[in-house]
Amino acid sequence: QVRLVESGGGLVQPGGSLTLSCAASGSIFSIYVMGWYRQAPGEERELAAVITTGGNTNYADSVKGRFTVSRDNAKNIVTLQMSDLKPEDTAAYYCNADGIDGEGLGFNTWGQGTQVTVSS
């Protein structure tokens, strides 16, 4: 079973920065796509930023130029660097990993979520 553990959420003022990290553990053969989704109260979960094994990235239009996603393939860690944060970035941020486990079975796993609050 693949498990994701997130860290780095918190309260930050508008214009500030925050970095989220997510580490995958368990029986993992390969993680093809790893990244971050977010869900604000009363809203649906949406993609924030994801990255493939090869380093290709996909960002929500609302975060382009402000967020940077990166990963350490050897350690199965994905990081989201967020800058120039806005109140509308306030949400629970969820790590997601999509890949193949050690038994050759596909998985798509979510972390437990970490809260990011942008407020003065």
Side-chain angles (χ1 to χ4, degrees):
Q1 186 175 359
V2 177
R3 181 170 175 249
L4 302 178
V5 177
E6 301 137 334
S7 61
L11 173 65
V12 62
Q13 292 186 341
S17 300
L18 208 59
T19 297
L20 307 181
S21 292
C22 171
S25 62
S27 178
I28 299 169
F29 174 75
S30 181
I31 299 177
Y32 298 133
V33 183
M34 201 170 184
W36 298 89
Y37 290 71
R38 64 185 186 180
Q39 187 169 18
E43 302 290 332
E44 292 188 354
R45 191 171 297 185
E46 64 176 9
L47 179 146
V50 295
I51 184 169
T52 68
T53 307
N56 293 317
T57 57
N58 187 25
Y59 293 93
D61 287 342
S62 59
V63 309
K64 285 180 180 177
R66 301 187 298 118
F67 290 11
T68 301
V69 63
S70 60
R71 65 186 281 182
D72 183 329
N73 291 329
K75 296 181 179 179
N76 290 321
I77 293 174
V78 64
T79 300
L80 185 66
Q81 295 177 292
M82 305 181 290
S83 62
D84 190 22
L85 283 160
K86 306 175 186 298
E88 50 264 41
D89 294 317
T90 295
Y93 282 71
Y94 295 90
C95 181
N96 177 265
D98 186 282
I100 303 293
D101 67 16
E103 297 181 354
L105 300 175
F107 67 85
N108 187 290
T109 299
W110 294 92
Q112 79 282 1
T114 186
Q115 180 67 35
V116 172
T117 301
V118 185
S119 175
S120 55

